[in-house]
Amino acid sequence: MLNIIDKSKISETDFLNKLKERNQVELDDITNNVKVILDDIKSNGDNAVFKYTEKFDNVKLTKNSIKIKKEDILKAYDNIEDRYIEILKKAKDNIYKFHKRQITNSWITNENEGETLGQIVRPLERVGIYSPGGTASYPSSVLMNAVTAKVAGVQKIIMFTPPKNEGVNSAILVAADIAGVDEIYCVGGAQAIGAMAFGTDSVEKVDKIVGPGNIYVNTAKRMVFGYCDIDMFAGPSEILIIADETANPKYIAADLMAQAEHDVLSSSILITPSEKMVKETLKEIKVQIKDKKRKDIIEKSFENYGAAIIVKDINEAIRISNVIAPEHLELCIENPFEKLNSIKNAGALFMGNYSPEPLGDYFAGTNHVIPTSGTAKFFSPLNVDDFVKKTSLIYYTKEALNKVKSDISYFAKKEGLDVHGDAVDIRFEENKKNI
């Protein structure tokens, strides 16, 4: 089912171009529809939010019902298994420990006499998390976003999730409570993004919006950037596995299918110098896929964006991987740490045969909100720095400024901004008069 590309006979260029096409979605109609919703919410606040919730979710909301009550959150614990709750708590602890190491502190330096420079690091005051509903309900994503914001010191975390007449997904509510979310609102879609970005009578405006969503949610996030910050514009998920002859084809097949079951647009790629590995992996896929619930999605994903690329050696495999810059990269080779410095572009790197991608999705503690579609060349996974802002600090004494005033004035005037120079010089005119 995977597209087999033998590098000695066929170029991988066409396939790589096909991967890029996954994000070339025609957005004109979607953008126009989302703009109408956002403009309406900006002008009419709650009334617009309630209108679109009834239109798209068939749920009537009021100011009294838009926010989920604390007692309903506590009742959600009764609807899920004790083991699930314990696993959510363990995952939360792992995420907390990992991200705690990312904290950067404010600093001040006095390298030269009379000069004080520094950087003040402060958390954002208010962050909004979007959590999808339906079959795309992911408590793991709630933990990843909320716990990271909590570690950063965000003062208030709110969450929006689509409403249902039968109630919000219990696991989502429990995960939010475990992670420390302060308020939960039952609003979904572009209207949820608008409410968080602009604020309404019922919802206080946030400084940043994070969390996954469908094309309407992602388009809304992109359009409200500037009113607040956003995490990233996530594309379809992807995995790339570099394997040598020491890898286990059973593991490779399972990992490729695990990624493909996300979406028909997901990309699952194996790169190996071993033709035998490709053949055995394909055999394993045929065996393992038979009883999978999402078999049709996996097969379509493999057909469109799956590939087994046969290369001359592992170095060439790494070169191609660096070009693709995959979201998830598994290095299933002997002595993977020997190749670590050669890996330039990857959202998350899984080393060896016993570090499968789901380990990072759920439990290891690393963040699973990772750049996709080649953006790992310049973006990073969600981290503590995404929830803080940094302010530069400058303090010069009069004597220290006097030493550099002529350089500043000269520099400013060379750029044609004379008054910039004057703003420095004027502080010493009194001295000239006294002479």
Side-chain angles (χ1 to χ4, degrees):
M1 291 176 284
L2 294 172
N3 299 284
I4 299 176
I5 301 171
D6 188 335
K7 277 289 280 92
S8 64
K9 301 171 184 176
I10 307 170
S11 168
E12 81 275 13
T13 304
D14 290 342
F15 177 74
L16 298 183
N17 287 336
K18 189 176 182 182
L19 283 182
K20 294 176 183 176
E21 291 173 2
R22 292 185 303 158
N23 283 331
Q24 305 308 310
V25 181
E26 182 55 59
L27 291 177
D28 286 351
D29 288 343
I30 293 173
T31 299
N32 290 337
N33 291 335
V34 169
K35 185 178 185 303
V36 169
I37 294 171
L38 294 178
D39 286 346
D40 198 356
I41 291 171
K42 195 190 306 183
S43 300
N44 299 302
D46 278 347
N47 290 334
V49 172
F50 300 156
K51 177 177 72 177
Y52 292 113
T53 299
E54 184 172 5
K55 178 179 180 180
F56 297 127
D57 298 306
N58 198 30
V59 173
K60 290 186 177 182
L61 290 179
T62 66
K63 290 183 179 181
N64 292 325
S65 64
I66 186 173
K67 186 162 75 170
I68 296 176
K69 295 178 174 59
K70 185 65 177 178
E71 53 264 34
D72 292 329
I73 298 171
L74 294 176
K75 285 179 184 176
Y77 280 85
D78 298 329
N79 298 328
I80 63 176
E81 302 91 340
D82 289 343
R83 187 183 177 193
Y84 197 1
I85 295 171
E86 288 306 309
I87 290 172
L88 288 171
K89 289 179 178 178
K90 288 178 183 178
K92 177 250 184 180
D93 289 342
N94 290 342
I95 296 165
Y96 185 91
K97 289 174 187 175
F98 178 86
H99 290 83
K100 191 78 173 173
R101 292 179 176 272
Q102 297 177 342
I103 293 175
T104 54
N105 296 313
S106 300
W107 55 267
I108 292 178
T109 182
N110 304 94
E111 290 185 7
N112 300 315
E113 185 178 354
E115 301 176 12
T116 300
L117 299 175
Q119 180 173 267
I120 309 302
V121 181
R122 299 194 192 283
L124 302 181
E125 292 184 17
R126 190 172 174 87
V127 165
I129 297 172
Y130 186 83
S131 179
T135 58
S137 294
Y138 298 124
S140 58
S141 289
V142 174
L143 294 178
M144 294 291 172
N145 285 283
V147 174
T148 307
K150 206 75 176 176
V151 171
V154 173
Q155 294 176 23
K156 193 157 193 179
I157 303 170
I158 68 170
M159 187 178 85
F160 274 63
T161 192
K164 296 179 182 177
N165 285 307
E166 64 272 23
V168 174
N169 182 296
S170 292
I172 292 290
L173 297 181
V174 170
D177 190 57
I178 289 171
V181 172
D182 296 293
E183 298 172 353
I184 305 174
Y185 295 84
C186 48
V187 178
Q191 57 271 28
I193 304 303
M196 286 189 275
F198 307 133
T200 71
D201 287 343
S202 299
V203 182
E204 189 178 345
K205 182 185 184 305
V206 301
D207 300 313
K208 184 164 189 165
I209 300 172
V210 298
N214 62 21
I215 189 64
Y216 291 92
V217 169
N218 278 326
T219 300
K221 282 168 67 177
R222 180 177 283 181
M223 292 175 72
V224 300
F225 176 72
Y227 291 94
C228 63
D229 192 16
I230 64 171
D231 47 3
M232 62 183 76
F233 192 84
S237 193
E238 58 210 19
I239 191 170
L240 190 152
I241 302 175
I242 296 177
D244 61 15
E245 65 281 353
T246 68
N248 190 321
K250 286 186 178 181
Y251 305 164
I252 303 299
D255 292 357
L256 291 170
M257 288 194 298
Q259 200 62 33
E261 76 172 341
H262 271 295
D263 192 320
V264 295
L265 293 175
S266 294
S267 173
S268 303
I269 302 171
L270 167 64
I271 308 182
T272 177
S274 171
E275 189 172 345
K276 180 182 177 184
M277 178 60 63
V278 172
K279 291 179 180 178
E280 292 183 354
T281 298
L282 292 176
K283 286 181 183 177
E284 278 296 327
I285 289 173
K286 289 180 180 178
V287 171
Q288 293 183 31
I289 200 172
K290 289 178 181 177
D291 60 347
K292 297 297 181 280
K293 294 178 182 177
R294 299 172 73 88
K295 178 182 176 183
D296 292 344
I297 293 173
I298 295 170
E299 289 178 339
K300 194 69 175 175
S301 172
F302 279 170
E303 179 185 340
N304 289 335
Y305 304 109
I309 303 176
I310 303 170
V311 294
K312 66 179 180 180
D313 56 30
I314 293 299
N315 288 333
E316 186 175 22
I318 291 173
R319 179 191 67 78
I320 295 172
S321 175
N322 283 332
V323 171
I324 295 174
E327 179 186 17
H328 307 100
L329 173 59
E330 289 188 10
L331 212 53
C332 298
I333 61 175
E334 192 173 17
N335 302 319
F337 282 91
E338 291 182 358
K339 296 295 184 181
L340 183 57
N341 288 337
S342 299
I343 305 298
K344 305 301 181 186
N345 304 313
L349 182 54
F350 300 80
M351 307 290 281
N353 293 308
Y354 295 95
S355 305
E357 184 268 340
L359 178 63
D361 269 355
Y362 297 107
F363 208 73
T366 55
N367 210 293
H368 78 198
V369 181
I370 309 173
T372 62
S373 306
T375 59
K377 291 179 180 177
F378 45 84
F379 277 139
S380 303
L382 192 74
N383 61 84
V384 167
D385 277 352
D386 289 311
F387 296 102
V388 302
K389 54 191 176 69
K390 299 170 183 177
T391 302
S392 299
L393 181 149
I394 307 102
Y395 169 75
Y396 271 49
T397 63
K398 185 175 184 180
E399 294 74 19
L401 181 61
N402 188 41
K403 292 177 183 177
V404 298
K405 72 177 190 300
S406 62
D407 288 343
I408 300 170
S409 181
Y410 180 85
F411 202 161
K413 287 170 182 174
K414 293 300 286 185
E415 290 194 348
L417 299 174
D418 292 359
V419 180
H420 276 64
D422 294 344
V424 175
D425 292 338
I426 199 169
R427 284 165 164 77
F428 298 93
E429 287 182 355
E430 183 180 339
N431 291 350
K432 291 180 181 178
K433 292 177 182 177
N434 293 335
I435 293 174

